[in-house]
Amino acid sequence: MTQAELFDIKGHVAIVTGAASGLGLAFSEVMAANGARVVMLDLNEAELARHAARLAAEGSVVEPIKLDVADTEALRAAIDGAASRHGRIDCLFANAGISGGPGTLTSDAGAIDHFDIDLFRRAMDINLTATLMAMRFVVPHMKARRYGSIIATASIAGIRAEPICGYGYIASKAAVINVVRQAAVELAPWNIRANAIAPGPFLTNIGGGRLHREPEVVKLFADMVPLSRLAQTDEIKGLALLLASPAGSYLTGTVIPIDGGATAVMTRGHYADRHA
Ligand SMILES: NC(=O)c1ccc[n+]([C@@H]2O[C@H](COP(=O)([O-])OP(=O)(O)OC[C@H]3O[C@@H](n4cnc5c(N)ncnc54)[C@H](O)[C@@H]3O)[C@@H](O)[C@H]2O)c1
């Protein structure tokens, strides 16, 4: 592989779910900036249109499609339609996700004896089931060309306990990680790779934009990170490009934390103080 080929994704077709904000927008931007055609899927029609228009004005080839990823038939139609229009799907960022209610640290409503089962089920539907279904729908198109890279957005809250997050979130993210591992093993004979990204705290609109409004929540997150800050969404772009490009050709079945060091430390003291 030459130096020029390492990160070369020109002409690739990428599907990104949750593409209108936060990490999904960053994935869309980095793929588009490197010459991929990007099919941007999101529930938020206005933001999707705004960002797709901006990227198109910059010379990128993007295609916005409004849908709810929990609508399985709409998801299937969007992915099959993209494959037939573009003739290929090289990459999937299965990224759309929701916080799914409060955690156990900041609210009694998130506690194991109180949490809302409807919020739990919605988190499982969007964060887990829709991720798995998006994978299911891209796979036939990837198998046909014996090539593909699937990247699921998990979370460090799927690797270890994370009291700031609720049960629906931690359960769905832990499950995403093992789904990715199983798919990586199953799909390796077709040269289809599957990996999970496990972000720490990034400054996005998750949880209805709390991270932009509530300094005490930002502080809670920043305190668990050795780098002592939340990440900007641009900081996920390098890892995304690595996993999507030939540079990541031997990476599969992995879960890669991108967390400012959060999973490297023990934080029990921090949580114990808050419960004292
Ligand atoms: N921000 C963080 O700190 C963080 C940390 C770890 C993991 N994550 C994960 O990153 C992913 C992206 O979240 P984000 O932080 O960028 O949040 P965000 O809210 O900024 O972006 C999420 C996008 O997904 C879209 N979306 C939500 N539900 C949808 C649905 N049912 N159908 C279609 N689109 C839908 C939203 O409209 C939004 O544009 C999620 O899976 C989240 O769990 C985020």
Side-chain angles (χ1 to χ4, degrees):
M1 202 183 304
T2 66
Q3 180 70 25
E5 285 164 349
L6 263 183
F7 295 102
D8 185 6
I9 54 163
K10 280 193 274 308
H12 284 204
V13 173
I15 309 267
V16 182
T17 72
S21 173
L23 302 183
L25 180 57
F27 297 145
S28 304
E29 288 172 346
V30 71
M31 295 301 286
N34 284 276
R37 288 169 275 170
V38 185
V39 182
M40 301 171 69
L41 310 183
D42 205 288
L43 196 55
N44 186 333
E45 193 165 20
E47 284 300 284
L48 191 59
R50 186 167 76 84
H51 288 295
R54 172 176 59 83
L55 291 172
E58 291 166 7
S60 296
V61 181
V62 295
E63 189 180 28
I65 300 177
K66 191 236 165 185
L67 56 68
D68 181 340
V69 291
D71 179 344
T72 304
E73 281 318 306
L75 186 61
R76 182 203 303 270
I79 290 172
D80 286 350
S84 93
R85 280 188 303 282
H86 298 289
R88 58 196 282 179
I89 294 175
D90 299 272
C91 177
L92 166 70
F93 286 91
N95 166 79
I98 57 170
S99 70
T104 64
L105 189 65
T106 52
S107 158
D108 286 343
I112 197 159
D113 50 350
H114 284 95
F115 73 86
D116 182 329
I117 187 65
D118 292 330
L119 289 178
F120 178 92
R121 290 196 172 113
R122 183 76 180 149
M124 295 301 273
D125 278 352
I126 294 170
N127 297 358
L128 174 61
T129 311
T131 293
L132 180 58
M133 295 311 284
M135 292 168 67
R136 174 184 182 139
F137 297 144
V138 297
V139 158
H141 305 293
M142 292 178 169
K143 277 184 174 173
R145 294 177 55 244
R146 300 188 76 82
Y147 182 84
S149 175
I150 293 168
I151 298 140
T153 308
S155 169
I156 58 170
I159 296 176
R160 56 156 170 73
E162 183 42 80
I164 303 173
C165 302
Y167 280 97
Y169 195 79
I170 59 117
S172 59
K173 295 300 185 179
V176 162
I177 289 170
N178 222 29
V179 160
V180 163
R181 290 193 185 109
Q182 176 125 326
V185 173
E186 181 187 345
L187 298 172
W190 283 274
N191 191 33
I192 300 169
R193 299 180 292 109
N195 292 285
I197 292 178
F202 275 70
L203 198 53
T204 71
N205 292 311
I206 197 158
R210 296 181 76 191
L211 298 176
H212 293 287
R213 286 193 316 269
E214 296 178 25
E216 65 281 10
V217 178
V218 170
K219 181 167 171 8
L220 270 180
F221 277 116
D223 282 352
M224 74 187 200
V225 178
L227 287 181
S228 298
R229 63 177 176 84
L230 275 65
Q232 300 294 329
T233 53
D234 277 354
E235 296 182 88
I236 208 145
K237 290 181 174 176
L239 177 57
L241 184 58
L242 168 66
L243 290 170
S245 68
S249 58
Y250 203 58
L251 279 165
T252 197
T254 61
V255 45
I256 304 180
I258 175 162
D259 66 355
T263 47
V265 289
M266 290 184 65
T267 53
R268 189 192 163 277
H270 165 71
Y271 296 130
D273 286 351
R274 287 181 185 275
H275 280 292

